[in-house]
Amino acid sequence: MGPHQTQPQHIHQNPRYDHRHGRSNLASCAAASAFLLLLVAAAAIALFILFRPHDPTIVVSAVQLPGFASANGSASFTFAQLAAVRNPNRNMLSHYDSSLVVLSRPQNQVAGFMFIPAGQIEGGRTQYMSASFNVAGFPVTGNAEVVEVESRMKLKGRVEVLKFFMHHVETTKLCTVSVSSRNGAVLGFRC
């Protein structure tokens, strides 16, 4: 070798050093990923708690049976019910496929039926719903002074949560109405 020539140097890397350096990068990425996942999970739980959908509530405030007539063991009348439906959610409730059914007691036979028109109830608001329909051939037992009528109002719908998820809600209110078999006066009701 000449005076200006140098001997080629071989650079040897310490294999232990590279291996540890790779492990520390992997551990840092794993810790950062775990932290981000934990942060996302905590945010999702917090949002679910704040925006968790609730079923609507139904309060029946009045029941009437105008036009009540009884003969030969059966009665006919118009069933009228006023109910308040409250949407406890922050977002709008869209209701559909809802109904009001009148049943004879104790047989539980359907005596009348009505679909409740689809609609929307704003978040945190109450909407009053009135429904009336004719019932014919309602069974009246012998000389009974009091006839019991059962109404079942079912409300189905969906609530949009955070503009991404739709949650289905459903609630039912069952009421027993005591009616005078003589004139159809409502003696009382319990739900």
Side-chain angles (χ1 to χ4, degrees):
M1 292 190 137
H4 295 292
Q5 289 183 337
T6 59
Q7 187 177 17
Q9 295 180 348
H10 294 287
I11 300 174
H12 294 283
Q13 293 181 353
N14 184 346
R16 257 195 250 156
Y17 176 75
D18 284 339
H19 191 63
R20 274 187 276 156
H21 185 66
R23 260 193 208 164
S24 69
N25 279 344
L26 183 61
S28 296
C29 285
S33 297
F35 177 74
L36 287 175
L37 286 175
L38 186 64
L39 191 62
V40 167
I45 290 170
L47 287 174
F48 182 75
I49 288 171
L50 288 174
F51 293 98
R52 182 180 62 189
H54 299 280
D55 289 338
T57 56
I58 300 172
V59 176
V60 176
S61 54
V63 176
Q64 294 179 336
L65 281 76
F68 186 90
S70 175
N72 300 328
S74 70
S76 62
F77 52 87
T78 299
F79 184 84
Q81 178 174 296
L82 177 64
V85 180
R86 184 174 190 297
N87 176 11
N89 298 295
R90 294 175 185 255
N91 296 327
M92 185 179 301
L93 164 69
S94 298
H95 62 88
Y96 57 89
D97 196 22
S98 302
S99 61
L100 177 61
V101 178
V102 171
L103 304 160
S104 62
R105 287 193 45 109
Q107 301 90 351
N108 278 340
Q109 293 177 337
V110 175
F113 179 86
M114 177 184 174
F115 282 109
I116 297 170
Q120 296 177 330
I121 304 172
E122 292 290 332
R125 301 286 183 167
T126 299
Q127 182 176 14
Y128 292 92
M129 297 182 177
S130 63
S132 64
F133 54 92
N134 293 327
V135 176
F138 189 87
V140 177
T141 316
N143 295 333
E145 295 290 320
V146 177
V147 176
E148 285 195 333
V149 176
E150 189 172 279
S151 73
R152 180 176 47 208
M153 183 175 176
K154 182 183 271 188
L155 193 79
K156 294 181 183 179
R158 63 178 171 252
V159 176
E160 188 177 83
V161 179
L162 299 175
K163 306 254 185 219
F164 296 110
F165 306 105
M166 295 301 276
H167 183 77
H168 293 277
V169 294
E170 182 174 327
T171 190
T172 301
K173 181 59 81 173
L174 190 63
C175 296
T176 302
V177 183
S178 298
V179 179
S180 169
S181 63
R182 290 188 182 146
N183 59 9
V186 175
L187 303 172
F189 65 93
R190 64 186 180 283
C191 300

